[in-house]
Amino acid sequence: MTQILQIAAIAVATLGTSAVTMTVMKEDIPDLAVPEGGWKTGHELDGRSFEILGTDVASGAVLDNRITFRNGTFQSTDCQNYCNFGWSDYQSKVIDSVIHFTARTVCPDAPHTVVWYGRVSGDEVVVDGTWTTRRWYWTNQIVITATGADAPVAGDGASG
Amino acid sequence: MTRTGAGGVLLRLAILAAVLALATWGVHLIRDALDLQVRPDNEQQIHQAIMLGSVAYVGLLALPFVPGAEIGLAMLAAFGQAIAPLIYVCTVASMTLAYTVGRFLPISALERLLSFLRMRRAAALVARAALLSPEARLAMLLDGQPKRALGLGLRYRYVALALAVNTPGNSIIGGGGGIMMMAGLSGIFSPLATFLTVTIAVSPVPLAVMFLGLQI
């Protein structure tokens, strides 16, 4: 075998071992588990917006955010600012006059997936969420809980 | 061993244990002070820092007499078990790179390259090795060992290589990168067996962090 072939074989072995190592050793973290059943294309919350104050459960960091619903789609201002998530379809259902909603949003430029699950009762909202980043070398997840209240919709451009 | 001699050894061990305990405590203090949390607003910067650190780690660890392992330990300390697979992969890549350079780059070119990089000790190591037989180059890895150990080292050279890479204080003989480069230069280590040896030899720390919850 020529030297070049040997070097190529070593490189392939290194890359292959790396790939296998990452596949076997890298732990995935599942997205937020949203309760199943009865979800329909969202429309109950269209035209509404909420100022929410959340907490990163692990670090205790405070997250100030706004979520907005429009034409069956959902947007988080922070997500939009961080990674240009855009507008994503949301689903909803009503149980005992509490509007439940969920949305799964994906950053187009980076491997971030955010799953939202919220309950709107009157003017108040409670939100749970996970921000999961799946890089090739690790999976990192930020678990968020937040509460908030109805806020005036600032118009179509308010999403950031 | 005399009573005085045994007392001296015990005293040294106690001092070593105290230094290790202090160093561990210091690392935890630094980590707490840094308060490194991955958040949506800094994840991209942390990702870039990890990529840059990984490239630096692979490059520096492959160089003789360059303390690159500390970068890996620092990353493990900062990010914990989540980063262990990456550190393992980078360590294997780095050791393999050093071996490949030693094995396939002409020894004169390697010496010139290290001199160009102002790595005088590494260049001197290669220059010394150039004059020696393959067995004598391996003996350099086991510098200071008794003759019986040298014989065993030659016979079980892959075990000796794994032990040398993991021996604390191996920076005196070139560190992991220097040892692997010398193994390549010796010409008595086959690429496949060496690669398998490396994959096993560098696994203890990342595996301990990953599966046993070892905290650095």
Side-chain angles (χ1 to χ4, degrees):
Chain A
M1 205 190 311
T2 66
Q3 286 195 348
I4 290 173
L5 278 177
Q6 284 189 41
I7 292 169
I10 290 171
V12 168
T14 306
L15 289 173
T17 303
S18 301
V20 170
T21 301
M22 284 301 165
T23 306
V24 173
M25 289 178 69
K26 190 176 72 133
E27 286 181 45
D28 189 35
I29 307 172
D31 293 319
L32 177 71
V34 177
E36 290 181 4
W39 293 107
K40 294 180 294 185
T41 302
H43 63 84
E44 284 91 349
L45 296 167
D46 284 356
R48 294 181 71 176
S49 186
F50 299 88
E51 287 286 352
I52 59 171
L53 198 59
T55 307
D56 173 347
V57 172
S59 70
V62 175
L63 306 165
D64 191 4
N65 195 3
R66 171 187 278 257
I67 53 175
T68 306
F69 299 85
R70 187 184 72 181
N71 299 331
T73 60
F74 163 93
Q75 189 174 80
S76 147
T77 302
D78 274 2
C79 290
Q80 181 66 9
N81 291 338
Y82 295 143
C83 202
N84 196 27
F85 277 69
W87 292 88
S88 308
D89 292 344
Y90 76 94
Q91 294 179 300
S92 61
K93 61 185 175 185
V94 181
I95 302 172
D96 298 332
S97 75
V98 176
I99 304 170
H100 295 239
F101 73 89
T102 183
R104 180 187 183 84
T105 64
V106 177
C107 170
D109 305 320
H112 307 304
T113 301
V114 184
V115 174
W116 299 85
Y117 171 53
R119 281 83 65 203
V120 177
S121 180
D123 290 343
E124 299 193 339
V125 64
V126 177
V127 181
D128 297 312
T130 52
W131 174 301
T132 310
T133 304
R134 292 183 174 87
R135 299 279 180 192
W136 62 269
Y137 54 89
W138 75 0
T139 299
N140 184 71
Q141 187 174 77
I142 300 163
V143 179
I144 300 158
T145 60
T147 56
D150 232 328
V153 177
D156 287 352
S159 56
Chain B
M1 190 182 287
T2 64
R3 187 171 288 182
T4 317
V9 170
L10 282 176
L11 180 65
R12 286 181 194 178
L13 283 175
I15 292 171
L16 179 64
V19 168
L20 287 175
L22 276 174
T24 307
W25 179 62
V27 165
H28 281 270
L29 280 183
I30 292 168
R31 183 167 61 177
D32 291 346
L34 284 173
D35 191 25
L36 201 54
Q37 299 282 348
V38 183
R39 293 191 309 272
D41 58 342
N42 68 3
E43 196 279 336
Q44 191 65 29
Q45 286 77 23
I46 287 179
H47 167 62
Q48 287 168 355
I50 287 173
M51 289 296 95
L52 197 64
S54 301
V55 171
Y57 177 59
V58 171
L60 292 176
L61 192 62
L63 292 171
F65 298 110
V66 174
E70 284 71 11
I71 297 175
L73 291 174
M75 287 168 74
L76 279 172
F79 299 109
Q81 67 176 53
I83 205 78
L86 178 67
I87 298 300
Y88 173 73
V89 162
C90 288
T91 309
V92 170
S94 179
M95 296 291 99
T96 309
L97 175 66
Y99 167 81
T100 307
V101 167
R103 167 104 186 186
F104 297 106
L105 204 65
I107 201 160
S108 56
L110 181 58
E111 189 188 341
R112 280 201 304 275
L113 175 68
L114 292 170
S115 297
F116 175 76
L117 294 172
R118 306 270 173 191
M119 300 179 67
R120 293 191 182 89
R121 287 177 71 195
L125 179 77
V126 171
R128 267 203 330 273
L131 305 171
L132 301 174
S133 66
E135 286 79 9
R137 288 174 188 169
L138 176 65
M140 284 177 73
L141 301 180
L142 304 167
D143 193 29
Q145 300 299 320
K147 218 168 188 178
R148 186 174 144 74
L150 282 178
L152 283 172
L154 281 169
R155 192 166 171 192
Y156 303 106
R157 55 186 181 276
Y158 293 101
V159 176
L161 184 66
L163 289 174
V165 165
N166 279 302
T167 302
N170 64 15
S171 54
I172 298 168
I173 55 171
I179 289 166
M180 292 308 298
M181 202 173 276
M182 201 54 60
L185 281 170
S186 74
I188 59 173
F189 290 90
S190 80
L192 179 62
T194 304
F195 179 73
L196 290 175
T197 302
V198 166
T199 57
I200 295 166
V202 305
S203 64
V205 172
L207 289 182
V209 169
M210 183 110 193
F211 296 114
L212 303 179
L214 172 69
Q215 288 198 336
I216 293 176

